[in-house]
Amino acid sequence: MQLTKRDTKVLWSRRRILLTIVITSFGVEIGAMLLLPVVLPSDVHPWIEALADATLLSLGSLPLLWYLLIRPMHAAVGIGSDRVDMLMAALDEHAVVSITDARGRITYANDAFCRINKYSREELLGKDHRIVNSGHHPKSFMKNLWETIKRGEAWRGDLKNRAKDGSCYWFHATIVPFADGQGNIEGYVAIRADITELKRAEERIKEYSDELKEQNEELEALQREIIAVNASLGEDCREAEDANRAKSEFLANMSHEIRTPMTAILGFAENLLDPGLSDSDRLNAIHTVRRNGEHLLQVINDILDISKIEAGKLEVERLRCSPVQVVAEAEAFTRVRADAKGLPFHVEYVGSVPETIESDPMRLKQVLVNLIGNAIKFTETGGVRLITRFVDDDAEPKMQFDVLDTGLGMTEEQIGKLFQAFVQADTSTTRRFGGSGLGLVISKRLAEMLGGDTTVESTPGEGSLFRVRVSTGSLDGVRMLENPSSAMIVQSEASAATKPCPSELCCRVLLAEDGPDNQRLIGHVLRKSGAEVTVVENGKLAVDTALAALNRSREDPSEGSFDVILMDMQMPVMDGYEATGLLRRKGYTGTIIALTAHAMAGDREKCIDAGCDDYASKPIDRKELIETIREHVSSGSSVRPSHENALDAAGRDTAGFKLAGYGLERGTDNAHHD
């Protein structure tokens, strides 16, 4: 078949397109191999054909292309368009192909292009590629693509297109421009490979990677948290060990503090049994027993106080009281110890002070007695001073009490441990001076409950300054004392002059007490004071005896019922609470005074609620007990007094506090100042 010049030109144009496709798809080497039969002379064609056959057969990769394209192209004449069509059909199976003119309008779209975009060929021809643009890529991306191919360079990259039904897909594209003999670009060939699944896989991998990264970050955060928790546990473990060690030391010290006075009490009590003991030795033994008993009571009171504070059960009152009087009582309480050591002890005032403040006088005195007692205890030479002043330089006016001593002093490390319960700043000093180690802790907590605080400044070998501030409450209409020292003397003398002395008891007392020793002791005290005493050992006998006496008095007024019942609250058969309640339910209106060794917060209220008229704690203060009985007998009334009657805020009777010398040596374990 003889081809015309026009047919030959068209055929050569199609050949260039096909060669471009082949080179793009299969590489420069294969394309050159395909081009050799065309450009070499015809007399070497058989050799070229044999070489190409051997090469391609050795590659074993393109038998179909060899059959459809290379063999027919070994002669320049006789190549038909049917061979080209066969090649395009084969490419349709291999790639997504489209051809555009120089303006980008689609002039050819293979079946794969139509199929993936879901457009018919008629819908695509004459359109540009914006028909399948997904809008995913920025304008700068598309601009770079067109600038590249317009320069005659091939462009390769990933594109995201949108099909007719709105679905999107990804493909990897190679876009190659082809030119005429003069180098003018006639169009563009785009060969694509569908990589949608690959992109989805990449997205899944990215999601997994992000998820793994997030999980890794969480694991790292968890690891850091575990490290922090381990560090915290280590610190907690160390703190627990320190606390356990401190409590062990505290218990060991408490054992020492309890056993030491008990040794003296038991030992000198045994000495009193010696009939050959002289009167002076007997008197010294009695004083020793009493002194050590009071010290033992101090230790017990300290333990009870810190227990109530730690449990949040300790309450303070807000009463109108005289700070000058509180200072005077604290001075009188501690001066005996200072005089015994030969230490000067001075009380000073700076400026005017309020005549009265709103506070708890008993707890405020306890704080001052603790601090002054410690200062005296740890001072061998020099002296102790108590300086009192009114401070109104902040939002709330306060009373300030400074206790200064010239004693041992403390280091910063010792000060850091000073106000910690059960922690001893210097165990050697504690062993030397004794004490419960709780006095300063109690004082600080009480000061805080009174609206203030306790601070300390100290220099080793020179001494210490303990400063206590407490709130004054409202001072509206309160007179300021210009000379507090004079007022202190007057009030102290007036208090001593007006304090009533206990009178003899002329009454009948029913003592309900199960302890034989206490029966003998309390009975002896009451009988010595002039009372007629009947003793029973449990609550049931107390109820029966009291009601029987009441019935006899109704039949024979000369017999008379009991004027007072002293009711121990802890007894066998029937305790004091039940016995008192039963008596009240049966109409008994006589005076019942609770007598108990319980001294925790709420114990007094519990006794009053049970029906008692008053409360006295053990160990008894015989003078205070007699005075309490005398007041009830003389009043002739069983009206129950308020909770403040002769009791402190903890439910302990005031006289018992005085008897114990409460707070004089309120502990020494916290550094040397405690």
Side-chain angles (χ1 to χ4, degrees):
M1 179 182 67
Q2 186 69 33
L3 296 176
T4 65
K5 184 177 180 180
R6 181 178 178 278
D7 292 336
T8 301
K9 183 177 180 181
V10 171
L11 184 59
W12 275 105
S13 176
R14 297 182 70 179
R15 283 177 179 175
R16 288 198 303 272
I17 295 172
L18 290 173
L19 286 172
T20 303
I21 295 171
V22 170
I23 292 170
T24 303
S25 302
F26 305 108
V28 176
E29 293 82 2
I30 301 301
M33 195 174 297
L34 296 176
L35 188 61
L36 283 175
V38 178
V39 299
L40 291 177
S42 60
D43 57 345
V44 295
H45 284 181
W47 179 82
I48 293 298
E49 181 177 280
L51 179 62
D53 283 343
T55 303
L56 293 178
L57 284 173
S58 65
L59 293 174
S61 59
L62 300 173
L64 179 61
L65 189 61
W66 173 256
Y67 178 79
L68 293 175
L69 180 63
I70 298 176
R71 288 177 63 90
M73 290 179 64
H74 77 278
V77 180
I79 298 178
S81 62
D82 57 335
R83 297 292 188 182
V84 175
D85 292 339
M86 292 175 67
L87 177 62
M88 297 301 293
L91 288 175
D92 277 344
E93 296 300 323
H94 173 72
V96 178
V97 181
S98 66
I99 303 173
T100 67
D101 60 17
R103 298 176 61 186
R105 291 174 298 190
I106 300 172
T107 59
Y108 173 81
N110 71 349
D111 291 342
F113 187 87
C114 296
R115 185 171 55 254
I116 198 170
N117 285 291
K118 299 179 174 58
Y119 285 101
S120 67
R121 189 171 281 103
E122 289 74 16
E123 290 177 306
L124 292 171
L125 294 177
K127 304 293 193 304
D128 60 29
H129 279 80
R130 282 179 292 194
I131 192 173
V132 292
N133 189 348
S134 66
H136 173 77
H137 303 285
K139 291 181 178 180
S140 59
F141 178 87
M142 302 306 296
K143 181 180 179 182
N144 176 67
L145 186 156
W146 278 103
E147 289 177 348
T148 301
I149 60 178
K150 283 182 178 180
R151 289 195 302 267
E153 301 173 6
W155 182 91
R156 294 178 179 84
D158 295 342
L159 286 170
K160 184 178 183 180
N161 277 1
R162 186 184 301 277
K164 183 179 180 179
D165 63 357
S167 62
C168 293
Y169 65 93
W170 281 90
F171 57 84
H172 180 74
T174 300
I175 304 175
V176 181
F178 60 92
D180 58 15
Q182 287 75 36
N184 298 318
I185 294 176
E186 293 184 345
Y188 306 97
V189 177
I191 303 173
R192 307 170 181 84
D194 188 358
I195 59 170
T196 302
E197 291 303 320
L198 179 62
K199 282 291 185 181
R200 289 174 181 169
E202 288 179 355
E203 290 178 359
R204 287 195 294 271
I205 290 173
K206 184 178 183 303
E207 290 175 359
Y208 295 152
S209 177
D210 292 342
E211 185 176 349
L212 287 173
K213 182 180 179 181
E214 182 178 349
Q215 290 177 352
N216 186 55
E217 291 175 352
E218 291 178 356
L219 287 174
E220 290 178 352
L222 181 60
Q223 184 179 14
R224 290 192 296 270
E225 185 177 348
I226 291 173
I227 292 173
V229 169
N230 286 336
S232 177
L233 287 174
E235 183 65 25
D236 291 344
C237 184
R238 286 189 295 273
E239 290 180 358
E241 290 175 354
D242 292 342
N244 186 58
R245 189 184 310 109
K247 288 189 177 182
S248 296
E249 293 176 356
F250 170 77
L251 290 175
N253 187 56
M254 285 300 97
S255 176
H256 174 268
E257 286 299 310
I258 292 173
R259 289 176 180 274
T260 297
M262 284 302 299
T263 300
I265 292 171
L266 295 176
F268 280 94
E270 188 174 357
N271 288 347
L272 291 173
L273 298 176
D274 183 1
L277 197 67
S278 66
D279 291 342
S280 61
D281 289 341
R282 189 179 303 277
L283 184 61
N284 287 334
I286 292 171
H287 285 306
T288 300
V289 169
R290 174 168 180 158
R291 183 171 61 253
N292 281 275
E294 291 173 353
H295 175 69
L296 185 59
L297 183 61
Q298 294 169 22
V299 174
I300 294 172
N301 285 337
D302 279 346
I303 296 173
L304 292 176
D305 276 347
I306 195 63
S307 299
K308 288 180 284 186
I309 290 173
E310 295 291 336
K313 298 296 185 180
L314 189 140
E315 298 180 358
V316 297
E317 297 178 304
R318 292 290 178 180
L319 306 174
R320 273 288 162 192
C321 60
S322 166
V324 173
Q325 183 63 25
V326 172
V327 169
E329 292 178 4
E331 178 193 11
F333 210 75
T334 54
R335 183 169 293 282
V336 176
R337 177 99 185 263
D339 292 344
K341 291 187 69 173
L343 282 176
F345 175 32
H346 302 289
V347 175
E348 306 170 21
Y349 286 89
V350 176
S352 58
V353 300
E355 186 175 26
T356 61
I357 60 174
E358 289 182 0
S359 189
D360 187 325
M362 185 62 64
R363 291 304 181 182
L364 178 55
K365 183 172 75 171
Q366 180 179 342
V367 172
L368 295 180
V369 167
N370 278 340
L371 298 182
I372 298 170
N374 276 331
I376 294 171
K377 181 187 301 182
F378 298 109
T379 302
E380 299 298 331
T381 60
V384 176
R385 299 162 62 199
L386 170 62
I387 302 176
T388 303
R389 72 186 74 200
F390 172 66
V391 179
D392 194 14
D393 55 359
D394 51 15
E396 184 180 13
K398 289 182 171 62
M399 288 299 301
Q400 176 176 304
F401 305 91
D402 292 338
V403 178
L404 300 91
D405 66 64
T406 57
L408 299 177
M410 292 171 289
T411 65
E412 289 296 327
E413 181 181 0
Q414 290 172 329
I415 292 175
K417 299 178 181 180
L418 198 58
F419 296 108
Q420 300 178 36
F422 313 116
V423 175
Q424 301 173 349
D426 189 336
T427 55
S428 63
T429 304
T430 298
R431 288 190 294 269
R432 176 184 171 190
F433 290 96
S436 68
L438 298 174
L440 285 180
V441 181
I442 295 170
S443 297
K444 184 175 179 63
R445 301 286 182 85
L446 288 177
E448 291 170 352
M449 296 174 71
L450 294 174
D453 197 4
T454 302
T455 58
V456 60
E457 299 175 10
S458 187
T459 302
E462 296 184 9
S464 303
L465 162 63
F466 283 85
R467 173 167 293 168
V468 177
R469 286 189 176 188
V470 297
S471 173
T472 64
S474 175
L475 295 177
D476 293 342
V478 176
R479 182 169 65 97
M480 300 298 292
L481 300 177
E482 299 298 332
N483 191 356
S485 298
S486 299
M488 181 178 69
I489 295 173
V490 171
Q491 290 190 19
S492 179
E493 291 174 351
S495 176
T498 58
K499 184 176 180 180
C501 295
S503 302
E504 282 197 4
L505 299 178
C506 298
C507 62
R508 297 185 65 201
V509 178
L510 175 61
L511 173 62
E513 167 65 57
D514 63 313
D517 293 334
N518 285 334
Q519 289 176 356
R520 290 194 297 271
L521 174 64
I522 299 173
H524 170 73
V525 170
L526 295 176
R527 292 187 184 98
K528 187 177 179 180
S529 299
E532 180 184 339
V533 183
T534 301
V535 180
V536 294
E537 62 267 19
N538 62 62
K540 185 177 184 306
L541 290 176
V543 172
D544 294 342
T545 304
L547 293 178
L550 181 62
N551 291 332
R552 286 197 304 271
S553 68
R554 289 171 179 169
E555 296 173 0
D556 184 0
S558 63
E559 288 289 334
S561 62
F562 293 105
D563 298 288
V564 174
I565 299 177
L566 291 181
M567 184 76 75
D568 183 25
M569 306 310 286
Q570 194 76 26
M571 292 185 293
V573 183
M574 180 183 293
D575 65 24
Y577 300 103
E578 186 178 355
T580 301
L582 182 58
L583 283 171
R584 294 308 186 196
R585 288 193 298 273
K586 289 183 176 293
Y588 189 84
T589 59
T591 299
I592 302 176
I593 299 175
L595 190 63
T596 177
H598 292 173
M600 298 296 287
D603 286 330
R604 181 181 189 280
E605 288 75 10
K606 185 178 179 181
C607 294
I608 299 300
D609 292 341
C612 296
D613 297 289
D614 215 329
Y615 171 100
S617 66
K618 298 176 182 177
I620 64 168
D621 179 327
R622 61 185 66 194
K623 293 181 180 179
E624 189 69 26
L625 178 62
I626 293 170
E627 178 62 20
T628 300
I629 295 172
R630 189 191 64 79
E631 288 177 355
H632 282 281
V633 171
S634 63
S635 66
S637 171
S638 61
V639 177
R640 297 164 203 165
S642 65
H643 289 187
E644 292 79 13
N645 186 14
L647 292 142
D648 66 10
R652 189 168 50 239
D653 67 290
T654 305
F657 178 94
K658 294 176 180 177
L659 172 66
Y662 191 72
L664 180 59
E665 296 180 34
R666 299 289 288 171
T668 54
D669 286 351
N670 287 319
H672 9 281
H673 280 76
D674 190 4

